[in-house]
Amino acid sequence: MKNIKCSIIEDLLPLYIDQVTSPDSNELVENHLASCSDCQKEYKTLSDSYYIPKETNTDAFQEINNKLKKKKIKTVLSTMIISFLLMLSALLLIFGYQIPIQYNDISISVEQKDHELWSTYSGPDFVSVKVSRPVDVEIEGKKEKILLVYYAKTIGYSFIYDHLENTNFNLSKNEDVDAVYYGDFDKKNLSEEAIKTAINKGKLIWKKK
Ligand SMILES: [Zn+2]
């Protein structure tokens, strides 16, 4: 069999690699390959570059299929996660973000009871009451110690709950306050200027007699 020409084997190799050759041809090719290093090289090059075995072929399809499936699952998962995060941040915004309730929407009065200051509130349901510490401020040439207060709601709570009537809240245990103003303020900035701005925008709701 050794006298078979290399060119014949070269012609057969692609078919052999594709596994469409007859058992006789297979034997011919294999015997030749065993003794011819040139054709071995050719065989190796061909198998490395072109050869996709049939089994592997289906495997490859399966693999692509699996990859596509995985990709689909990934897409679905990330869509779900993103939707969930969006919903979560919407909920946080709706139920977490506190906005001051405007003075015009409420009715509020402050009373001194046993050296403490109490507010009586009627208005939209609130989630918290913001009270500043007593701050010194000069009003019309007079030094005064004032409190700033506002009731805060969230968009969400306003949907769930509606109206509160005459709710009491302890504003201060300190009798040493001259006036209470209702209005938005920034707890982190209680400089005299910020306070004055808040007072000007706010409403005087109690003054020491
Ligand atoms: Zn050969």
Side-chain angles (χ1 to χ4, degrees):
M1 289 287 182
K2 279 184 185 173
N3 50 0
I4 287 177
K5 281 188 181 171
C6 287
S7 59
I8 295 172
I9 296 302
E10 258 173 51
D11 287 346
L12 278 174
L13 272 178
L15 298 171
Y16 172 74
I17 285 167
D18 275 347
Q19 296 174 349
V20 290
T21 40
S22 66
D24 286 343
S25 304
N26 288 346
E27 205 185 320
L28 196 79
V29 171
E30 278 155 18
N31 284 336
H32 181 88
L33 283 180
S35 58
C36 173
S37 60
D38 283 348
C39 286
Q40 266 175 36
K41 265 184 213 158
E42 181 65 18
Y43 171 66
K44 202 178 175 322
T45 316
L46 277 178
S47 354
D48 284 354
S49 49
Y50 310 126
Y51 178 47
I52 303 169
K54 280 192 180 139
E55 302 86 339
T56 322
N57 216 358
T58 32
D59 283 355
F61 273 120
Q62 196 61 48
E63 205 174 303
I64 289 170
N65 228 342
N66 284 344
K67 269 186 190 163
L68 280 177
K69 263 188 204 160
K70 272 184 195 161
K71 208 175 178 187
K72 247 188 199 168
I73 291 171
K74 265 188 194 166
T75 313
V76 170
L77 271 182
S78 43
T79 310
M80 276 170 64
I81 289 169
I82 289 169
S83 319
F84 174 73
L85 286 179
L86 280 177
M87 258 171 55
L88 195 69
S89 37
L91 284 177
L92 279 179
L93 182 71
I94 291 172
F95 290 101
Y97 182 66
Q98 297 189 10
I99 42 179
I101 301 174
Q102 295 302 307
Y103 178 80
N104 290 336
D105 297 335
I106 63 166
S107 140
I108 189 167
S109 60
V110 176
E111 253 186 296
Q112 193 167 345
K113 289 179 198 163
D114 305 326
H115 307 293
E116 292 183 344
L117 287 178
W118 286 81
S119 64
T120 305
Y121 169 95
S122 301
D125 202 349
F126 58 89
V127 285
S128 67
V129 183
K130 312 283 185 191
V131 187
S132 74
R133 62 173 165 79
V135 273
D136 292 314
V137 67
E138 205 178 289
I139 299 170
E140 290 159 9
K142 258 178 76 187
K143 274 259 177 210
E144 289 195 6
K145 205 176 268 295
I146 65 115
L147 278 188
L148 276 164
V149 58
Y150 71 86
Y151 284 61
K153 62 175 180 179
T154 60
I155 303 162
Y157 277 92
S158 311
F159 283 124
I160 296 171
Y161 306 106
D162 35 34
H163 194 82
L164 292 173
E165 204 64 50
N166 296 326
T167 313
N168 293 310
F169 187 85
N170 181 226
L171 295 178
S172 172
K173 297 195 185 301
N174 187 350
E175 58 184 309
D176 192 24
V177 172
D178 299 308
V180 180
Y181 288 82
Y182 188 91
D184 191 3
F185 65 91
D186 180 3
K187 237 174 188 170
K188 285 173 208 145
N189 180 12
L190 291 178
S191 69
E192 181 144 1
E193 205 174 307
I195 294 299
K196 275 187 174 165
T197 312
I199 286 173
N200 285 335
K201 279 199 230 158
K203 293 274 177 187
L204 178 66
I205 53 173
W206 182 80
K207 209 165 169 56
K208 200 178 206 168
K209 280 159 195 159

mmCIF file of all heavy atoms in Angstrom, residues 6 32 36 39, ligand 1:
data_model
loop_
_atom_site.group_PDB
_atom_site.id
_atom_site.type_symbol
_atom_site.label_atom_id
_atom_site.label_comp_id
_atom_site.label_asym_id
_atom_site.label_seq_id
_atom_site.Cartn_x
_atom_site.Cartn_y
_atom_site.Cartn_z
ATOM 1 N N CYS A 6 0.820 10.198 -2.983
ATOM 2 C CA CYS A 6 0.379 11.173 -1.979
ATOM 3 C C CYS A 6 -0.783 12.003 -2.490
ATOM 4 O O CYS A 6 -1.664 12.404 -1.722
ATOM 5 C CB CYS A 6 1.529 12.094 -1.607
ATOM 6 S SG CYS A 6 2.747 11.274 -0.596
ATOM 7 N N HIS A 32 -1.534 4.658 4.758
ATOM 8 C CA HIS A 32 -0.609 5.596 4.137
ATOM 9 C C HIS A 32 -0.114 6.618 5.156
ATOM 10 O O HIS A 32 1.071 6.922 5.231
ATOM 11 C CB HIS A 32 -1.280 6.312 2.953
ATOM 12 C CG HIS A 32 -0.369 7.280 2.269
ATOM 13 N ND1 HIS A 32 0.487 6.906 1.237
ATOM 14 C CD2 HIS A 32 -0.143 8.601 2.475
ATOM 15 C CE1 HIS A 32 1.186 7.959 0.845
ATOM 16 N NE2 HIS A 32 0.812 9.013 1.591
ATOM 17 N N CYS A 36 3.663 7.990 6.038
ATOM 18 C CA CYS A 36 4.044 9.172 5.265
ATOM 19 C C CYS A 36 3.881 10.432 6.107
ATOM 20 O O CYS A 36 2.762 10.834 6.452
ATOM 21 C CB CYS A 36 3.185 9.258 3.992
ATOM 22 S SG CYS A 36 3.462 10.786 3.080
ATOM 23 N N CYS A 39 1.927 13.479 4.402
ATOM 24 C CA CYS A 39 0.479 13.388 4.446
ATOM 25 C C CYS A 39 -0.044 13.532 5.874
ATOM 26 O O CYS A 39 -1.139 14.051 6.102
ATOM 27 C CB CYS A 39 0.001 12.075 3.823
ATOM 28 S SG CYS A 39 0.159 12.139 2.027
HETATM 29 ZN ZN ZN B 1 1.881 10.712 1.390
#
